[in-house]
């Protein structure tokens, strides 16, 4: 048995890798377990999975040494966000960096690049990387957590942070349940080229079938996330490129002109899933292991990064060893995650309806928010984590 570590993190995706770097930066002894080391980023292969990184998340990435590389390689900034309802196209809500006195609202970043930059930073630290192995036993004891890996290695840590995704094996092993709801929708993702410049703008149109987002990438290219019911997703995926672009143009209704090319397409099922508790004894949940939310405009990863930001209060003084401090962290993070999850769900339900009353209310409501600067700023500051 080796010495007792301060933390073992299970899962080396974006949130787990960031947590390892943040805790190591604070002087803790950390190990990271990851069954599949991320492949090196290739600029020629755009990852279909992209995120809209908020300012507080990018500041965290800067702190752990990955932000500069991400921005240098491919992280286009977006400076506007325009959201409108198909039933009231002349009453959008617009967020503008210029109006909000910010250089940008955020950055569009591919998952593969995000992970590559984080892992390059990890390799330059003394974080112990345990690759190609999995946890097969976990004992959540009074003073430590004991882990057995399928390699036969045994570890002991003051805390275990599970960042092993929505199907978290650690969460299941320690008996934390989840409350889940399947939306009966899928998110279709692809890259498209368009006739007009994207104006460094995230565009989101709400349709009765679900929201359609265009996230600006480079040149006249955007990443799309098109939320549709399961049956319609199957229908759209079966179309050839020309037919798909025709349907997409009709759904988006013109801000970027004609759509001229499309990458490969993929679709993933959408659901809301919240762990009933984020802390059980000396084990805590981070990222998708704790919360899965609707991917409105690519915002979900920011909630995971805020889990990591919340760890900072636990690295001060003796809080790392105090169960009461961890329990407070768990309650706070679950409360904030639940507000986000149910808020995204409510927006999706309100705008993905062709019933008369919601249709009459939606457009004027967006118009009111757009005409009151303080409301616009409040909405954006909440989304930006400021």
């Amino acid at each position: 048995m080796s010495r007792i570590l301060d933390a073992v993190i299970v899962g080396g995706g974006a949130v787990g890798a960031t947590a390892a770097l943040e805790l190591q930066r604070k002087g803790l002894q950390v190990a990271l377990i990851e069954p599949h080391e991320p492949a090196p980023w290739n600029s020629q292969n755009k990852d279909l999975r992209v995120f809209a990184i908020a300012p507080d998340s990018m500041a965290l990435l800067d702190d752990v040494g990955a932000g500069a590389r991400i921005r240098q390689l491919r992280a286009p900034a977006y400076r506007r966000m325009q959201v409108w309802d198909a039933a009231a196209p002349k009453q959008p809500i617009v967020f503008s960096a210029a109006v909000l006195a910010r250089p940008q609202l955020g950055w569009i970043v591919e998952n593969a690049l995000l992970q590559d930059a984080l892992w390059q930073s990890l390799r330059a630290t003394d974080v112990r990387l345990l690759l190609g192995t999995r946890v097969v036993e976990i004992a959540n004891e009074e003073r430590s957590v004991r882990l057995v890996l399928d390699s036969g290695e045994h570890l002991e840590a003051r805390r275990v942070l599970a960042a092993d995704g929505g199907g978290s094996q650690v969460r299941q092993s320690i008996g934390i349940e989840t409350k889940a709801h399947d939306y009966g929708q899928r998110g279709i993702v692809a890259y498209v080229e368009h006739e007009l410049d994207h104006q460094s703008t995230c565009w989101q149109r709400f349709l009765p079938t679900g929201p359609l987002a265009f996230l600006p990438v480079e040149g006249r290219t955007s990443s799309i996330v098109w939320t549709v019911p399961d049956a319609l997703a199957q229908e759209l995926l079966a179309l050839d490129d020309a037919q798909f672009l025709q349907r997409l143009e009709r759904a988006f209704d013109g801000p970027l002109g004609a759509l001229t090319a499309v990458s490969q397409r993929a679709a993933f099922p959408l659901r809301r899933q919240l762990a009933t508790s984020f802390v059980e004894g000396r084990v805590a949940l981070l990222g998708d292991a704790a919360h899965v939310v609707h991917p409105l405009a690519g915002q979900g990863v920011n909630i995971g990064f805020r889990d990591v930001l919340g760890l900072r209060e636990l690295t001060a003084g003796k809080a790392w060893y105090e169960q009461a401090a961890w329990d407070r962290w768990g309650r706070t993070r679950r409360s904030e995650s639940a507000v986000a999850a149910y808020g995204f769900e409510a927006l999706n339900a309100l705008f993905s309806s062709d019933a008369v009353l919601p249709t009459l209310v939606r457009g004027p409501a967006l118009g009111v928010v757009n005409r009151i600067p303080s409301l616009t700023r409040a909405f954006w500051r909440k989304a930006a984590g400021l």
Side-chain angles (χ1 to χ4, degrees):
M1 180 76 68
S2 60
R3 70 183 187 279
I4 299 179
L5 295 159
D6 292 307
V8 170
I9 297 168
V10 183
V15 173
T18 302
L21 288 164
E22 173 66 16
L23 297 181
Q24 185 273 336
R25 191 173 73 93
K26 293 301 178 68
L28 300 183
Q29 297 297 310
V30 181
L32 175 64
I33 301 169
E34 172 51 50
H36 306 291
E37 184 176 3
W41 180 69
N42 184 339
S43 63
Q44 301 304 308
N45 299 325
K46 289 189 176 74
D47 190 347
L48 290 178
R49 188 180 181 190
V50 302
F51 303 118
I53 301 296
D56 63 333
S57 296
M58 185 59 80
L60 172 62
L61 293 170
D62 280 335
D63 289 343
V64 301
R69 175 174 172 79
I70 291 168
R71 292 192 300 277
Q72 177 186 5
L73 291 175
R74 190 157 67 204
Y78 62 95
R79 296 177 175 84
R80 290 179 73 252
M81 181 180 292
Q82 181 163 319
V83 181
W84 74 104
D85 180 22
K90 295 182 179 181
Q91 294 177 305
I93 181 171
V94 178
F95 301 92
S96 167
V99 172
L100 295 164
R102 303 285 302 189
Q104 63 277 312
L105 299 182
W107 297 260
I108 304 301
V109 180
E110 300 159 50
N111 181 57
L113 172 55
L114 181 58
Q115 291 201 44
D116 181 80
L118 289 165
W119 275 77
Q120 290 216 23
S121 295
L122 278 170
R123 295 186 188 97
T125 70
D126 62 1
V127 172
R128 186 180 176 194
L129 301 177
L130 299 165
L131 305 177
T133 187
R134 298 176 182 274
V135 176
V136 292
E137 292 182 28
I138 181 168
N140 192 1
E141 300 178 348
E142 183 179 354
R143 296 184 179 277
S144 66
V145 185
R146 297 177 186 270
L147 303 168
V148 180
L149 310 185
D150 60 7
S151 63
E153 185 168 2
H154 292 239
L155 299 173
E156 186 175 6
R158 300 294 183 194
R159 302 285 169 184
V160 166
L161 306 181
D164 52 340
S168 172
Q169 291 298 311
V170 173
R171 185 190 66 229
Q172 295 176 42
S173 296
I174 63 172
I176 296 180
E177 297 182 349
T178 62
K179 294 183 177 180
H181 172 68
D182 189 331
Y183 294 124
Q185 296 175 314
R186 291 180 179 266
I188 298 176
V189 292
Y191 289 92
V192 297
E193 294 179 11
H194 33 77
E195 178 185 9
L196 304 177
D197 188 86
H198 51 52
Q199 305 168 54
S200 297
T201 298
C202 290
W203 309 86
Q204 183 151 280
R205 187 181 195 220
F206 283 99
L207 299 151
T209 51
L212 168 58
F214 274 59
L215 309 179
V217 188
E218 50 188 1
R220 295 183 176 180
T221 303
S222 292
S223 165
I224 68 161
V225 184
W226 190 0
T227 299
V228 293
D230 290 335
L232 181 54
Q234 294 179 2
E235 177 186 338
L236 292 170
L237 289 174
L239 299 175
D240 63 31
D241 286 352
Q243 293 171 324
F244 178 78
L245 287 171
Q246 186 178 47
R247 296 282 289 271
L248 183 61
E249 271 191 43
R250 191 184 314 146
F252 193 53
D253 195 30
L256 298 176
L259 304 179
T260 57
V262 64
S263 71
Q264 64 178 355
R265 288 164 266 156
F268 54 93
L270 304 183
R271 72 188 191 283
R272 181 244 308 146
Q273 178 177 287
L274 282 171
T276 54
S277 172
F278 285 12
V279 174
E280 179 62 36
R282 292 182 170 270
V283 179
L285 308 181
L286 302 176
D288 284 359
H291 43 73
V292 176
V293 303
H294 196 285
L296 281 175
Q299 290 288 324
V301 73
N302 294 304
I303 305 173
F305 284 140
R306 286 164 195 155
D307 294 340
V308 179
L309 285 167
L311 294 176
R312 289 180 172 176
E313 65 187 63
L314 299 174
T315 59
K318 297 181 179 180
W320 196 258
Y321 305 97
E322 296 174 351
Q323 191 61 40
W326 279 90
D327 291 339
R328 284 194 301 273
W329 173 89
R331 289 192 298 270
T332 298
R333 290 306 310 142
R334 191 181 188 283
S335 175
E336 293 184 4
S337 300
V339 168
Y342 286 105
F344 289 158
E345 182 172 311
L347 282 173
N348 182 49
L350 173 63
F351 285 93
S352 301
S353 171
D354 55 5
V356 174
L357 184 57
T359 302
L360 291 173
V361 167
R362 291 185 311 234
L366 289 176
V368 167
V369 172
N370 203 45
R371 288 193 297 271
I372 302 176
S374 60
L375 277 180
T376 305
R377 292 191 189 95
F379 274 107
W380 180 77
R381 290 182 65 84
K382 182 64 177 177
L386 299 176

